[in-house]
Amino acid sequence: MNPDTPAITTIQQAILTIRDQKVMLDRDLAVLYGVSTKRLNEQVKRNRDRFPGDFMFRLTKAEKEQVVAICDHLGALRYSRTNPFAFTEHGAVMVASILSTPQAVQTSILVVRAFVHFRALALTHKELTQRIEVLEKKFDRKFSVIFQTLRHLIETPQPTRKPIGFRQKPIDHEE
């Protein structure tokens, strides 16, 4: 087992999908790189030309609220007056280069490995889907139930959320 596996797992848990991109928030990167979020954002602002739109973007208020609702470790964001920055894989590595601390350099390697792992998973998922489609075309409809089951198993489940708040049952007036 790779000695970096626990660290990579921690990083993978901090990677979120926002605007159809895999990103990490400034708070999570600051923790990983061993600096405060304020210091990280100061350095980003000083080096703004290193962070084009495909490296970094600021979350909208709605995106921030959604992230806070989904991620337990980001509960403190609820009280922040500013919306966090989201960094893509390239942006996360660029942050390490502007911080240039030994911890930032080592962590950037782990961040890249975590993003690469996610990319490999996505390719595997895509290949499985393509193989099932080829098999389905090759065999007749006798196996359609099997193919439907396989498709269902490889689909990413969407979490269902119960409505928040008290729901009063209707009063039955029949007496």
Side-chain angles (χ1 to χ4, degrees), residues 12 16 26 86 89 96 101 144 157 174:
Q12 286 173 344
L16 307 170
D26 54 5
E89 176 182 356
T101 64
S144 65
E174 293 178 25

Side-chain angles (χ1 to χ4, degrees), residues 9 25 41 56 59 70 74 82 88 114 123 132 139 158:
T9 303
L25 298 184
N41 287 332
M56 174 191 86
L59 268 58
I70 294 171
L74 296 173
T82 60
T88 63
L123 284 174
I132 289 172
F139 296 101
Q158 296 298 323

